[in-house]
Amino acid sequence: MRSARTLRQLTVTVCTRSLHHHHHHHQQHRERSVGIIGAPFSKGQPRGGVERGPDLIRAAGLLHKLQDQGCAVTDYGNLAFEEVVDDEPVGRVKRAKAVGAANRRLSEAVRGVKRDGHTSVMLGGDHSLAIGSVHGHSAAVGELSVVWVDAHADINTPLTSPTGNIHGQPMSYLLHELQSQIPVLPNFSWIKPCVSAQDLVYIGLRDVDPGEHYILKLLGVKVFSMSEVDQLGVARVMEETCDYLSAKAKKPIHLSYDIDAIDPSVTPATGTPVVGGLTYREGVYITECLCQTGLLSAVDMVEVNPLRGRTEEDVRSTVSTAVDLLLGCFGRLREGNHPSDYRLPEP
């Protein structure tokens, strides 16, 4: 048992070292099984188009590329979400009925994917879907660590939110520590908080509302804003993230990745772009490190919106980056890979 534990510790601390040391982990990635759920849902925010994300990401070759790097892939298709009528705002909160109902469906779907033994990949849709994705993941496996890669903290409560859009609030419904701040909302009674503030890490923040900033400080949440990424470099950020998450019991990791974490020069086709984001390289490095922990258990890829790109190239760049980030989660190394049974051809 001790040797397995030291190997796991090695994979965690090794994030910052050359990726060349990881050939002995390739076998583990070869056997990864991935369960994909499409969640074409846009009601957590006001802009149409984000519901087209799942099909665009698939059309860019995600499944074949995962299979080519040795993953077993099961595609569960897209969830169907019923139209909700009479979805009037509740206080400031917009479309609570639709968001609550959609996330309940998603939670059950993610729970099913985890019960089938896969790493869950949820293709969004907007970031309000993290409510159901994290909830279903936790319902299946118990306590989680959450790594939230995003320009925004998405931790407004219904009372602090300046817009009322639920895609800026999902973390507040999931945290035990904020339960007292959440009013009663229609179709939200099923949600039980399932994440502790000490098990949450943010990377890439650069557009944080005053209420969110207060909450993050109050709860002592681990945050690597873009200032920290600039100051420390992404390798050190990931070393500290891995150390922080592995210092306690090694819980399964849920990675919730908003495409707007990446700088809009690379991923412009998204609803709320903010300049000064992660480079493509930094974004991919984050996924490589989390893969190497051996603890990655579910991934969200959200907020790809083809209608927000000005050109076809804007959309292509955004979608292909989303695919590359997901490939990094499942063992693709930029140095290249080869199957463990690869042999040179006989001359």
Side-chain angles (χ1 to χ4, degrees):
M1 194 57 219
R2 182 161 168 266
S3 62
R5 192 175 303 133
T6 41
L7 182 68
R8 180 62 54 77
Q9 282 162 349
L10 182 99
T11 64
V12 169
T13 53
V14 94
C15 278
T16 54
R17 296 191 205 132
S18 161
L19 296 175
H20 292 284
H21 294 304
H22 288 300
H23 292 297
H24 59 288
H25 297 309
H26 288 190
Q27 196 55 38
Q28 167 189 332
H29 304 319
R30 288 262 96 65
E31 296 156 3
R32 277 286 167 88
S33 69
V34 183
I36 296 173
I37 302 173
F41 182 79
S42 64
K43 301 289 170 43
Q45 48 84 62
R47 298 171 187 90
V50 72
E51 70 282 354
R52 289 162 59 178
D55 289 342
L56 280 172
I57 293 170
R58 288 192 185 93
L62 175 65
L63 280 72
H64 288 303
K65 289 174 178 176
L66 283 169
Q67 288 164 341
D68 285 348
Q69 64 188 45
C71 297
V73 183
T74 304
D75 190 345
Y76 289 77
N78 286 349
L79 295 175
F81 301 111
E82 288 150 34
E83 280 299 314
V84 175
V85 291
D86 304 327
D87 205 356
E88 296 304 313
V90 182
R92 290 179 182 169
V93 179
K94 295 169 184 166
R95 295 170 164 171
K97 283 186 186 171
V99 174
N103 274 296
R104 188 168 197 169
R105 293 229 38 206
L106 177 59
S107 175
E108 288 160 5
V110 170
R111 194 181 314 188
V113 171
K114 290 308 300 175
R115 290 212 175 118
D116 289 347
H118 307 299
T119 300
S120 169
V121 171
M122 185 275 284
L123 305 176
D126 71 61
H127 217 162
S128 69
L129 293 161
I131 298 168
S133 183
V134 174
H135 182 279
H137 186 192
S138 175
V141 306
E143 291 189 352
L144 302 173
S145 297
V146 175
V147 178
W148 197 278
V149 185
D150 200 328
H152 311 88
D154 294 350
I155 199 171
N156 272 303
T157 71
L159 303 176
T160 68
S161 170
T163 65
N165 298 323
I166 300 180
H167 78 157
Q169 306 171 30
M171 209 57 234
S172 74
Y173 301 99
L174 295 165
L175 281 175
H176 295 293
E177 290 86 349
L178 290 177
Q179 199 168 6
S180 63
Q181 301 298 312
I182 307 298
V184 174
L185 295 171
N187 288 351
F188 271 67
S189 60
W190 61 274
I191 299 170
K192 301 286 178 282
C194 53
V195 179
S196 298
Q198 64 175 16
D199 294 324
L200 172 61
V201 178
Y202 281 102
I203 302 171
L205 298 189
R206 57 192 184 279
D207 184 12
V208 179
D209 294 325
E212 295 181 300
H213 188 256
Y214 179 84
I215 288 167
L216 293 171
K217 295 293 185 196
L218 182 72
L219 301 184
V221 175
K222 189 79 166 164
V223 175
F224 296 99
S225 72
M226 283 311 301
S227 299
E228 274 86 25
V229 176
D230 288 342
Q231 183 185 348
L232 302 171
V234 71
R236 175 84 183 278
V237 166
M238 290 316 296
E239 183 179 21
E240 291 192 15
T241 295
C242 292
D243 286 350
Y244 179 80
L245 294 178
S246 66
K248 304 177 283 294
K250 291 182 173 56
K251 297 170 184 172
I253 294 173
H254 187 110
L255 170 60
S256 203
Y257 215 126
D258 188 322
I259 200 70
D260 75 23
I262 308 291
D263 191 78
S265 61
V266 180
T267 57
T270 188
T272 48
V274 186
V275 296
L278 296 165
T279 64
Y280 172 90
R281 285 158 51 190
E282 289 167 337
V284 170
Y285 187 84
I286 290 166
T287 66
E288 289 171 344
C289 278
L290 291 174
C291 175
Q292 286 158 19
T293 66
L295 297 170
L296 191 58
S297 177
V299 184
D300 310 325
M301 182 56 63
V302 298
E303 300 282 0
V304 171
N305 187 337
L307 298 188
R308 306 304 292 179
R310 290 196 181 93
T311 64
E312 279 183 32
E313 176 54 29
D314 281 0
V315 178
R316 193 204 61 76
S317 177
T318 306
V319 172
S320 68
T321 301
V323 170
D324 288 351
L325 294 169
L326 289 167
L327 297 178
C329 291
F330 296 100
R332 189 185 78 151
L333 297 175
R334 287 171 286 172
E335 67 183 44
N337 303 66
H338 67 262
S340 55
D341 57 356
Y342 186 87
R343 296 290 178 271
L344 289 173
E346 295 289 330

